[in-house]
Amino acid sequence: MSRFLVDRDGETHVRLAEGMELTKSQAVLAAVGFVALLIVPDITRFTPLSFTAIHRGILFGLAAVGLNLLLRHTELVSFGHAAFFGVGAYAAAVLASQFDVSSGLLLLLGGVLAATTISVLIGYFVASYLDIYFALLTLAFNQVLYAFVLQSGYFNYSDGLNVRPDGLNPPALFGLQLSSTGYELVLYYFTVVVLIVSLLVMWKLVNSPFGRALDAIGQNRTRARFVGIPVEKYVWVAFVISGIYGGLAGGLFALLQLHVSPEATLYAFVSGEILFMAILGGFGTLVGPVIGGVVLVYLLVQAPFYIEYYNALTGLTLLAVVLFLPEGILGSIPKIGTGLSRRRRDPGLLREDLATIGSSLRRGVSRAVTTVRIIVFGVN
């Protein structure tokens, strides 16, 4: 075995760094994903795919990666993560429009610092709560921020703020005042670098003793306390880290859109979308939320151009994921690969699949009829 290949449990793994080892299939997927990220501008140039929509999806996916730290490891569901996304975006917009800060990196840094501050404050109040109470508290803080920005003249009410320091041109990137096309390309590849670094940091975090402690908290808080884990403090720290990811994504979103409004960044529905992105892509995986972000943003932004009932398409996607891919798109790939391999060896299994789908549909219709009968007649 070379230094890049190690044997674990009878299977060859690819070693990317100390402690970071992937199976061959994972390494292939990672390489394909990396190449796909790099060639997105070329792909969108020669196809009908939207470059901006994919870029937006990656940014929302980055926010979903942060939310996933809470969802996957502490099993806490946040309904208010748009608060950090919106604060990061608005902080960049305020610095550009009210203080004429022209450096894109400074605007991004301002967004991350503002989101970190807000996440420290909100995390202090919600870290000791569980289940629906935690979810509702995060939603409440989100709504307070949304209403405050919506009613404030400083933030230009519902019209929002431009992210153009001189009122015309976008911020400078790395000291360069770029053309519109150059700005989009440089910002995209900067986003790719930020995304990869953020994923590596998150991977390192969840595989550290701190990440193991969060897993223990998610499984049973009482037992975690018995073994000496300061539960509230760890949840608070995880909440702040999650908020930093949201602020980072929000700041980059402001640099991309060059305009920030309350509905697009702080509204409660945005929180729901970020949560669904994590579930859609596979909240049991590291990269799944990014996949979910790209898919959902693309459905929400691009589908109206092709399908009249685009909201139904989003709903059908939700149904398909819940019923057939409960582990999300990326999380289901290993199971789908194993299933396809088995069916190649034994085609008779396809008949069993059809019978299972038919049975599931009949049970669903029966439950729906029963529910309607109870609602209409009051009895089963």
Side-chain angles (χ1 to χ4, degrees):
M1 290 284 172
S2 71
R3 56 180 298 192
F4 298 107
L5 297 175
V6 294
D7 189 49
R8 290 277 183 274
D9 302 324
E11 188 177 1
T12 302
H13 287 65
V14 180
R15 175 186 286 169
L16 301 181
E18 185 63 33
M20 181 180 286
E21 295 161 2
L22 303 176
T23 63
K24 284 185 177 178
S25 57
Q26 289 173 332
V28 170
L29 283 176
V32 170
F34 179 69
V35 172
L37 278 175
L38 293 182
I39 62 175
V40 160
D42 296 316
I43 293 174
T44 54
R45 194 176 302 130
F46 299 107
T47 65
L49 294 173
S50 168
F51 177 50
T52 304
I54 294 175
H55 195 168
R56 283 183 59 179
I58 292 172
L59 294 179
F60 275 101
L62 179 60
V65 170
L67 171 64
N68 202 34
L69 179 66
L70 291 173
L71 184 64
R72 177 183 178 186
H73 298 280
T74 66
E75 298 190 5
L76 291 170
V77 179
S78 170
F79 286 165
H81 246 57
F84 313 120
F85 188 86
V87 166
Y90 260 97
V94 167
L95 288 173
S97 60
Q98 312 283 22
F99 297 95
D100 296 330
V101 176
S102 60
S103 167
L105 295 183
L106 286 180
L107 297 178
L108 182 59
L109 178 63
V112 172
L113 290 177
T116 304
T117 305
I118 292 296
S119 61
V120 168
L121 292 174
I122 296 178
Y124 175 78
F125 291 105
V126 305
S128 60
Y129 289 88
L130 284 168
D131 304 328
I132 191 65
Y133 302 102
F134 178 87
L136 290 179
L137 275 174
T138 54
L139 176 62
F141 279 111
N142 188 168
Q143 283 300 90
V144 168
L145 283 172
Y146 171 72
F148 176 73
V149 170
L150 193 65
Q151 301 296 325
S152 171
Y154 186 77
F155 298 107
N156 201 21
Y157 305 107
S158 61
D159 291 335
L161 298 171
N162 286 325
V163 192
R164 297 179 186 272
D166 59 358
L168 182 63
N169 296 304
L173 290 176
F174 306 105
L176 301 173
Q177 195 67 54
L178 301 164
S179 65
S180 175
T181 304
Y183 178 82
E184 289 180 357
L185 275 177
V186 171
L187 183 62
Y188 173 76
Y189 284 113
F190 179 62
T191 298
V192 170
V193 172
V194 170
L195 174 68
I196 292 172
V197 172
S198 301
L199 288 174
L200 291 175
V201 170
M202 184 60 75
W203 184 89
K204 197 72 178 174
L205 188 70
V206 299
N207 288 285
S208 68
F210 175 73
R212 306 297 183 203
L214 293 182
D215 287 332
I217 292 170
Q219 291 167 14
N220 192 308
R221 282 197 173 201
T222 303
R223 290 179 183 171
R225 284 194 185 90
F226 281 157
V227 298
I229 297 174
V231 172
E232 281 75 20
K233 187 180 294 183
Y234 273 42
V235 171
W236 189 12
V237 172
F239 193 86
V240 173
I241 294 171
S242 183
I244 291 172
Y245 273 69
L248 184 60
L252 287 168
F253 177 83
L255 294 180
L256 170 66
Q257 296 297 117
L258 299 176
H259 181 83
V260 175
S261 66
E263 286 77 10
T265 58
L266 278 168
Y267 195 38
F269 280 177
V270 178
S271 292
E273 289 169 3
I274 294 173
L275 177 60
F276 177 58
M277 287 167 190
I279 298 171
L280 175 63
F283 70 90
T285 64
L286 179 67
V287 186
V290 181
I291 305 292
V294 173
V295 172
L296 186 62
V297 167
Y298 214 88
L299 283 176
L300 294 173
V301 174
Q302 293 300 115
F305 294 107
Y306 304 103
I307 301 174
E308 183 176 0
Y309 300 102
Y310 63 93
N311 284 322
L313 178 63
T314 309
L316 289 172
T317 304
L318 279 168
L319 286 172
V321 169
V322 172
L323 292 176
F324 303 112
L325 301 173
E327 295 174 8
I329 297 171
L330 194 63
S332 300
I333 286 179
K335 188 179 289 184
I336 292 173
T338 304
L340 290 176
S341 177
R342 286 182 58 202
R343 279 149 187 79
R344 275 199 300 270
R345 293 193 302 268
D346 184 4
L349 290 174
L350 288 173
R351 288 193 294 272
E352 295 181 16
D353 293 337
L354 293 174
T356 302
I357 292 173
S359 175
S360 298
L361 290 175
R362 283 195 296 275
R363 284 199 300 271
V365 170
S366 176
R367 283 197 296 269
V369 170
T370 301
T371 302
V372 170
R373 193 162 51 226
I374 292 173
I375 292 173
V376 174
F377 300 107
V379 295
N380 187 354

